[in-house]
Amino acid sequence: MADIEALLADAVGARDVLAGAAIPPEYAGDESLTALRQLPAYLVRPGATAEVADVLRIAGEARIPVTARGSGTGMSGGCVPRPGGITVSFERMNRILEVDAVNQAAVVQPGVTLDQLDHEAAESGLHYPVQLGEPTASIGGTIATNAGGMHALRYGVTRHHVLAVEAVLASGEVVRNGGKYVKTSTGYDLTQLLVGSEGTLALVTEATLRLRARSRHSTTLLAAFASAEDVFRSVAPLAGGSLEPVALEYVDLLAMAAIAEDHRTGLGVPASVRSAALGYLVAVLESNSATRLQEDVEAAGEQLLGLGALDVFVLSAPTARKLVEAREHAFWTAKAAGADDIVDVVVPRGELSGLLTAASAAAEDTGSLVTGCGHAGDGNVHLSVFQPDPVRRDEVLRRLLRAGLERGGTVSGEHGIGRAKKPYFLALEDPVRVELMRRIKRAFDPAGILNPGVLFD
């Protein structure tokens, strides 16, 4: 083991290799509520692609498992190391190499955070539209899980913005794929294969990302409804119409009360409406024209009232920021309230009502509480499960995820599988698809050293 530590020190420098008790406890995992935490044998902090390649060659020769780590904000246990393994932390590889205004692209290292990139892109009138609840999430981590966020309805998820990658294979070989273009019809798309692979196929050391023009004006509407079903019935007409909202977010009654209490958010909703509302829809509209935005706001308000909203409120900019920030931080609110797990299931948005009905039935049958929010515009719901008994909680999770699959959805919309959701993924997914994924894994990583235990046993 001392020889391995010396080899790693030669690869990245002795200062950036930690071993055993010297590794800080935060490197034991991420924000998952259920994945067991585990420190690696070695923590390495490379500063360049060549150093990552050297680390993987060392690990491959010694058959040591390797786990990549960004900011550690994931929610599925995807960066929990294996005992005796190596964690490759990209905290030093945190430079924005280029913001190309002509081609509307940015070239970044994996340790760059979302807020860091968006701040720098703003200087060119651009933005990176993948906006998550945790702005300190790293680009590498969001690529690993194909993260989405609130703006996915209009702008898409991470994979829609990854134009190219540089990655290191398990062998230590470096491969580049893609470029500053949006079309390609040249063989297999290796870039997109790596997006969402959770560090099991290769370690991304550089990414070229698509940027968008930054809208100058934005308004947030809050619509109160008498039932969750009424909320979901309103989503398709809004999402599929001419208004093109940036976000349509569902918040149930319990989640809204928790958000308002936890963040002291005064939303200006009269008591008479609060007493009658059982669900809320948050709609965010953007435009480069203040006049056009005002017209869209009026049209959206009229449409929401016509779709059954009890009332619609145009929030002031400060109130809107508080509400959106509170909605983005709903996980932390649920965690503080004692949630035992978070379900990140996605279905076609027309199936949301049926999914929530199944969630209510599962909660009632098991004596659990299931509450939450969701990206209603794209069918991705985040349900907090309050059930301390692991057997009953397992039943709730299986029923919720199976209900999603039966309605044409899938196990995770943006959090990934990691270690926490692996049992459900393997039990509920099509075994033919899973076996095909295993074959791809073996092709990229024959010795199985990259993030073993994530996705597969």
Side-chain angles (χ1 to χ4, degrees), residues 75-101:
M75 296 175 62
S76 62
C79 67
V80 176
R82 289 297 291 263
I86 299 170
T87 288
V88 177
S89 172
F90 286 106
E91 60 201 82
R92 290 179 58 217
M93 296 180 66
N94 61 357
R95 291 187 298 129
I96 298 174
L97 303 175
E98 181 186 11
V99 173
D100 182 344

Side-chain angles (χ1 to χ4, degrees), residues 32-53:
S32 169
L33 297 178
T34 58
L36 297 178
R37 299 173 67 82
Q38 168 72 51
L39 283 171
Y42 307 100
L43 170 69
V44 298
R45 298 179 294 217
T49 298
E51 295 179 2
V52 177

